[in-house]
Amino acid sequence: MALHDIKKISIREYLEQKGINPKRENEKRGMYLSPLRKEDNASFSVDYIRNVWFDHGLGEGGSIIDLVARIENCSIGEAIKRLEDNSFSFHRNKNPIHDNSKTSEPTIKIMNIIPLTNPSLLGYLSERHINIEIAKQYCKEIHYSMNDKPYFAVGFQNNSGGYELRNKYFQGCTSKDSTHYDNAQNECLVFEGFTDFLSFLTLKNKSQLENNVIVLNSVVNLQKSADFLKKHDTIRTFLDNDEAGKRTFAEIQKLGKPVFDYSTLYGNFKDLNEYLCSQKQSFNLPVKKKNTGLKR
């Protein structure tokens, strides 16, 4: 079976055969809970027309071959062999266009950036137990279009000037990058996502921290933050309690700096926000120096 034909095997039907169905879809695209990691909001996109996938949380994507390799934990060569051996179980993509194994994220165009006031977005943050006044200091209300359709979301700016976008039904970004807050301190706190960062501030009942802060916005952005991390004497991480979080912590340890894993404080929960939602109580973190505010 030619490689060109293997790539036309339907991702949609492959996932369906494995019991993985979309949480919402239209004739062009489906949004799934990621089969590659644990999540509560569907952020795994499958383009039915181009027959490619993209995991917005991991910042990874590709063809059905890449997906089989990830799900089955095998090499690309083995994934191709498995698809060939089981090709009778699948149908070719019903709407193929030019073969293209590269991922294509939906085009997001920002139309307007305003203060965070939309009741639906405030309700989304409230459902996640995040202090609204704190959220308003760090987030904006972003009105954008995607595939020529209008949407709005909570936006958190990254170092590239782009925005992480979140609402009840969507997770995405206009550019991939981390967010740094530099207060000229020797200690740095590392968060995986901005909802975890806002959750920490909510738990501490603070709108500003004395420490330097990195919000990765995705663990794939760690290398972009490596130089900033190396400047610190102490690093404290608040990552997710999953394999990606463990791998990221191990990578940070390789920088040769003292690194402390604070995920043990919410060890029975997926992440810091889930901890906040389940039991809204604080925990202690050493703070020594004068509060100078967060600067980026």
Side-chain angles (χ1 to χ4, degrees), residues 167-190:
N167 61 37
K168 191 173 182 178
Y169 306 103
F170 177 72
Q171 295 186 40
C173 63
T174 61
S175 63
K176 294 182 182 66
D177 207 346
S178 53
T179 304
H180 300 172
Y181 294 102
D182 189 351
N183 289 316
Q185 301 295 309
N186 294 322
E187 182 176 88
C188 187
L189 310 186
V190 180

Side-chain angles (χ1 to χ4, degrees), residues 216 218-226 229 247-248 251-252:
L216 292 173
S218 172
V219 294
V220 300
N221 292 324
L222 177 60
Q223 289 306 312
K224 297 179 181 180
S225 298
L229 276 171
R247 287 197 301 270
T248 302
E251 288 298 315
I252 294 174

